[in-house]
Amino acid sequence: MKVSRLEVCCGVALVLLASVIVIFFWTKEVREFKIDYENNRFLKDGEPFQYISGSLHYFRVPRVYWQDRLRKLRAAGLNVVSLYVEWSRHEPQPGVFDFTGENDLEHFIKLAEEEGLLVILRPGPYICAERDLGGYPVWLLHKNPKMQLRTSDPSHTKYVQIWIDTLLSRLEHLLYGNGGPIIMVQVENEYGSYSTCDRNYTLWLRDLFVKHVGTKAVLFTTDGAAKGFLKCGPIPGVFITVDFGSGANITKAFEPLRAIQPKGPLVNSEFYPGWLTHWGESVSTVETERIVNTTRDMLQANVSFNYYMFFGGTNFGYTSGANYRDSPNTSFQPQLTSYDYDAPITEAGDLTQKYFAIRSVISEFVTVPGIPVENSKKFSYSGLVLDPRVSLFDSPGVVYPETTYPKTFEELGLYTGFLLYETRLPETFSSQGLLTAKHLHDRALVYIDKQPVGILDRSNATFSLNISGKPHQTLSLLVENQGHINYGIMSDLKGLTENVTLNGDVLLNWKQTGFPTEDVSHVVDLPKSETVKLPAFYSQKFQLTNTAEDPGDTFVDMSGWTKGVVYVNGHNLGRYWSTEGPQQSLFLPGPFLHKHPEYNTIVVLELETENSLRKVFFSPTPVWSSGNSR
Ligand SMILES: *[C@@H]1O[C@H](CO)[C@@H](O)[C@H](O)[C@H]1NC(C)=O
Ligand SMILES: *[C@@H]1O[C@H](CO)[C@@H](O)[C@H](O)[C@H]1NC(C)=O
Ligand SMILES: *[C@@H]1O[C@H](CO)[C@@H](O)[C@H](O)[C@H]1NC(C)=O
Ligand SMILES: *[C@@H]1O[C@H](CO)[C@@H](O)[C@H](O)[C@H]1NC(C)=O
Ligand SMILES: *[C@@H]1O[C@H](CO)[C@@H](O)[C@H](O)[C@H]1NC(C)=O
């Protein structure tokens, strides 16, 4: 039979097509990440798989550095990156979603994949993470100030459903089984530490996750490695993991887990190579040798684990949270702006001795890729003098209708910054009295006719103050929201949450003005003014020294100032509180700066004390209170 050229071509094409189809279905079949309970291991495409993961949060480092941080994580020998998703930044207003720019989560996940990493996704919706309200948008508490977060309260689940449906629909194509890098997805977060224990909620949430994830990735929970935490944390049908730090006896640490999940791979979802620090504490550190030893123990025991944090980063703006301790003296503990965490990679992205020690112990077990990584270049600049511009009290604020009793930030719809409460000293007031703001959240500068008369502070449980004045004088309380509690209690309304009394009598008729202080651009072009009253904005324009290079990273040294907020070129670098410490400087990433000859603008909002020198310094290394270092 004579075969035409065309037929040969078609034949070849058909064979090729058939092969493509076969390969397609064959690959599709083995593209799978799952648990082999019987053999206590994970299977990735049918092969045993152990992960060495590190936590790194896209929301704590500028997007331009995402790739750098991911690459450094991979270069240490890690094969997975673990990340929380922060609801509040992706849904800044109800029903308004943002997945662009600094919030481009898909881009972060794709970069991770490009750098050779798989991904563990922790979407909460509660994430703790030492973030404002544990990652929940504060507007939820405007919708319903009594909302029971982390429960099946329908006013809560209504918004959770919209958020999780939105998020997981966007990310479905990135699940491992769908061809992407996401191998695991966490349901809620350490629910066993939450006293409410609403199993209806966790079951409902599980089903919401299952709807999107199915078998395309492994769903898991994580909780403290003790019997108590494993009572309410685990959810039927969801793989259970635990958290513990260095120095633990591995066998012993997994015993409570093994009691309820006798088979399956062992996972430590939060292994702490460092720890968080609150204002007023010494810097938390964890000894490298302990990390190395426990890392080795876990690798030897085939444990899959995640360093929390491998890179900490920065709580820019008003994103840091607070802890709460049920003790009369220090019940409220706001967290630092720095989330350096004593992690293997520093806040500025530098590699530490801890980093190299970890890379070395990992290399005893797996081949560490030879990826070149280096520290960023830094710059210093000494003694930039700032000029006073305007008092906060003379700055534009949001004026709310006067109310008989004071309202909270959330009731008024103010989610960041400061709320100024003003009333008049009563007719009957006789020169002296005890002012009490019970359950003040969090810190109030108190003024009579705009003259400072004292400070009330939740951190040291100071809720009363003796004041003197005359009837009809203006009494003002400028209340600062220092970050919503992110762990334990989840109903932390800000401001004057109860009536304010003077000698036991309730003060009425409050004028309220909000200062969200997110946008301070009004300050920049104001003339210098020597007579401004605190709290006040100071600012200056400056040029970097003549260089064609891109600006390096630096730390704005605020020692000598007292308490406030720093902004550079419109970026809110976060809070400083130099008198409280231990943090004295704020990380300023180079990409926030303009290179020569363009001008840069720095704005400082100082709340409490006039700094006679009015100088800021740019330091190439972070500055901590004396006696502290990492
Ligand atoms: C859980 O749901 C069941 C059935 O709907 C209901 O009877 C029970 O009261 C709920 N429990 C809680 C804590 O809400
Ligand atoms: C670790 O704990 C296990 C189980 O409790 C125990 O058998 C073992 O002796 C412990 N190892 C060390 C080094 O203490
Ligand atoms: C780490 O392990 C080594 C070798 O077993 C031991 O000598 C050392 O004391 C351990 N260090 C710490 C801090 O546990
Ligand atoms: C770890 O896994 C390897 C390979 O599957 C196995 O040979 C070894 O016995 C396991 N070790 C432990 C402590 O389970
Ligand atoms: C806590 O406060 C009480 C009463 O003000 C005081 O007696 C006690 O010494 C304080 N404890 C600490 C640890 O500061």
Side-chain angles (χ1 to χ4, degrees):
M1 201 172 85
K2 196 171 164 235
V3 180
S4 78
R5 233 197 163 99
L6 185 69
E7 281 170 317
V8 172
C9 275
C10 283
V12 171
L14 275 175
V15 169
L16 276 177
L17 184 63
S19 330
V20 166
I21 289 167
V22 166
I23 289 168
F24 179 75
F25 282 104
W26 181 73
T27 357
K28 225 178 139 71
E29 200 172 79
V30 298
R31 179 92 195 172
E32 182 180 55
F33 187 79
K34 66 173 193 180
I35 294 173
D36 174 5
Y37 278 97
E38 204 39 51
N39 295 300
N40 305 322
R41 60 190 185 180
F42 291 107
L43 290 178
K44 179 171 153 288
D45 304 338
E47 296 295 319
F49 181 79
Q50 177 182 15
Y51 64 76
I52 309 170
S53 166
S55 284
L56 188 176
H57 297 141
Y58 62 98
F59 47 78
R60 281 185 164 121
V61 58
R63 174 183 171 128
V64 285
Y65 282 151
W66 286 353
Q67 186 173 45
D68 172 79
R69 304 300 190 265
L70 288 163
R71 184 166 295 177
K72 284 170 175 165
L73 193 138
R74 176 71 190 118
L78 278 60
N79 55 1
V80 171
V81 60
S82 166
L83 58 125
Y84 280 129
V85 180
E86 189 171 45
W87 180 3
S88 59
R89 69 180 35 234
H90 296 290
E91 194 177 354
Q93 293 169 49
V96 178
F97 295 95
D98 183 0
F99 291 93
T100 62
E102 301 292 323
N103 296 328
D104 192 345
L105 182 57
E106 285 173 62
H107 179 63
F108 183 88
I109 293 170
K110 283 178 187 154
L111 279 178
E113 188 176 26
E114 278 169 36
E115 294 301 321
L117 294 161
L118 294 165
V119 172
I120 295 174
L121 193 73
R122 312 178 72 184
Y126 164 78
I127 61 171
C128 184
E130 285 74 65
R131 298 288 279 190
D132 191 35
L133 202 60
Y136 269 111
V138 180
W139 54 254
L140 289 170
L141 300 177
H142 176 67
K143 291 281 178 194
N144 174 11
K146 294 199 164 69
M147 187 181 289
Q148 302 296 301
L149 301 176
R150 310 183 70 188
T151 75
S152 43
D153 172 354
S155 74
H156 166 245
T157 50
K158 171 180 160 192
Y159 293 105
V160 171
Q161 169 140 16
I162 296 168
W163 162 238
I164 294 296
D165 277 341
T166 304
L167 175 72
L168 295 183
S169 314
R170 291 188 75 98
L171 299 184
E172 265 173 52
H173 70 286
L174 296 170
L175 297 172
Y176 194 81
N178 290 333
I182 301 172
I183 53 171
M184 315 252 302
V185 181
Q186 187 188 354
V187 186
E188 237 278 342
N189 182 44
E190 296 187 339
Y191 199 71
S193 304
Y194 194 49
S195 59
T196 304
C197 190
D198 180 345
R199 292 179 198 279
N200 286 359
Y201 174 59
T202 52
L203 285 171
W204 172 83
L205 194 62
R206 174 199 67 186
D207 293 345
L208 187 57
F209 275 60
V210 166
K211 185 175 84 178
H212 294 281
V213 177
T215 57
K216 305 297 183 183
V218 169
L219 291 181
F220 73 105
T221 60
T222 193
D223 281 289
K227 208 174 155 192
F229 297 126
L230 293 170
K231 228 176 106 223
C232 271
I235 309 168
V238 179
F239 178 61
I240 310 168
T241 77
V242 292
D243 304 334
F244 58 84
S246 61
N249 171 336
I250 302 302
T251 318
K252 210 172 166 58
F254 280 112
E255 274 171 4
L257 171 75
R258 274 297 181 233
I260 56 168
Q261 186 172 268
K263 300 295 275 180
L266 292 172
V267 176
N268 181 356
S269 285
E270 289 192 3
F271 171 55
Y272 309 104
W275 195 248
L276 61 122
T277 306
H278 303 102
W279 292 109
E281 294 178 346
S282 323
V283 178
S284 301
T285 55
V286 177
E287 198 195 335
T288 296
E289 196 178 85
R290 287 167 59 100
I291 315 295
V292 167
N293 282 6
T294 308
T295 296
R296 187 181 288 110
D297 290 348
M298 289 194 290
L299 287 169
Q300 253 154 14
N302 294 339
V303 171
S304 284
F305 62 95
N306 170 57
Y307 294 101
Y308 187 97
M309 301 293 299
F310 202 75
F311 162 80
T314 310
N315 293 313
F316 291 111
Y318 296 115
T319 58
S320 62
N323 279 107
Y324 172 83
R325 207 163 40 180
D326 204 5
S327 94
N329 300 3
T330 55
S331 59
F332 182 70
Q333 307 170 293
Q335 281 126 16
L336 300 185
T337 299
S338 170
Y339 200 63
D340 177 272
Y341 213 83
D342 194 30
I345 304 174
T346 70
E347 180 176 10
D350 292 347
L351 310 178
T352 61
Q353 180 254 341
K354 188 178 282 182
Y355 176 94
F356 294 109
I358 286 174
R359 191 177 71 173
S360 168
V361 66
I362 291 174
S363 72
E364 293 169 21
F365 296 84
V366 297
T367 310
V368 171
I371 301 168
V373 284
E374 58 181 25
N375 294 345
S376 70
K377 74 181 152 64
K378 310 288 188 304
F379 84 89
S380 59
Y381 195 92
S382 62
L384 179 68
V385 178
L386 309 191
D387 291 329
R389 305 283 167 180
V390 64
S391 171
L392 178 70
F393 295 141
D394 297 323
S395 296
V398 186
V399 180
Y400 301 105
E402 188 175 307
T403 58
T404 309
Y405 302 102
K407 298 272 182 200
T408 62
F409 279 59
E410 291 74 16
E411 283 169 315
L412 296 171
L414 178 68
Y415 305 129
T416 57
F418 306 84
L419 183 52
L420 178 66
Y421 294 90
E422 292 174 294
T423 187
R424 299 223 171 242
L425 292 178
E427 186 86 59
T428 52
F429 183 61
S430 61
S431 76
Q432 294 247 326
L434 185 69
L435 177 76
T436 301
K438 212 174 136 196
H439 295 144
L440 159 75
H441 297 172
D442 300 304
R443 183 180 167 88
L445 305 179
V446 184
Y447 303 84
I448 291 176
D449 280 351
K450 295 283 158 69
Q451 293 302 315
V453 296
I455 296 173
L456 302 175
D457 190 349
R458 186 184 187 187
S459 293
N460 56 21
T462 304
F463 297 116
S464 289
L465 178 70
N466 274 305
I467 59 166
S468 32
K470 299 190 201 74
H472 306 302
Q473 281 189 307
T474 301
L475 170 74
S476 317
L477 289 91
L478 180 71
V479 180
E480 179 187 354
N481 160 8
Q482 293 182 286
H484 292 81
I485 292 170
N486 54 257
Y487 180 85
I489 55 170
M490 292 298 294
S491 54
D492 187 25
L493 299 178
K494 296 303 189 185
L496 300 175
T497 66
E498 289 190 22
N499 284 329
V500 177
T501 61
L502 187 56
N503 286 333
D505 295 332
V506 173
L507 293 172
L508 304 174
N509 305 327
W510 293 91
K511 195 182 147 198
Q512 292 146 129
T513 312
F515 297 101
T517 52
E518 286 180 305
D519 177 3
V520 296
S521 52
H522 70 285
V523 172
V524 175
D525 295 315
L526 290 174
K528 176 177 175 176
S529 164
E530 285 300 337
T531 55
V532 300
K533 286 221 174 85
L534 290 167
F537 289 102
Y538 296 75
S539 80
Q540 197 53 275
K541 285 193 162 70
F542 63 100
Q543 275 173 308
L544 299 181
T545 42
N546 191 3
T547 162
E549 286 178 34
D550 290 333
D553 297 333
T554 192
F555 291 84
V556 186
D557 181 358
M558 296 305 290
S559 47
W561 299 73
T562 299
K563 188 177 198 314
V565 189
V566 177
Y567 310 80
V568 172
N569 296 333
H571 297 276
N572 183 340
L573 301 187
R575 303 175 178 95
Y576 67 91
W577 194 359
S578 310
T579 49
E580 190 76 357
Q583 182 175 1
Q584 298 291 321
S585 60
L586 294 167
F587 179 54
L588 170 53
F592 286 3
L593 289 163
H594 306 309
K595 66 178 158 190
H596 190 91
E598 254 191 276
Y599 277 89
N600 295 281
T601 311
I602 181 165
V603 175
V604 169
L605 169 60
E606 167 61 46
L607 298 168
E608 288 177 25
T609 322
E610 169 79 21
N611 172 352
S612 56
L613 297 177
R614 297 174 186 159
K615 277 187 184 176
V616 297
F617 299 84
F618 295 100
S619 162
T621 51
V623 184
W624 298 98
S625 305
S626 60
N628 286 278
S629 67
R630 58 161 284 164

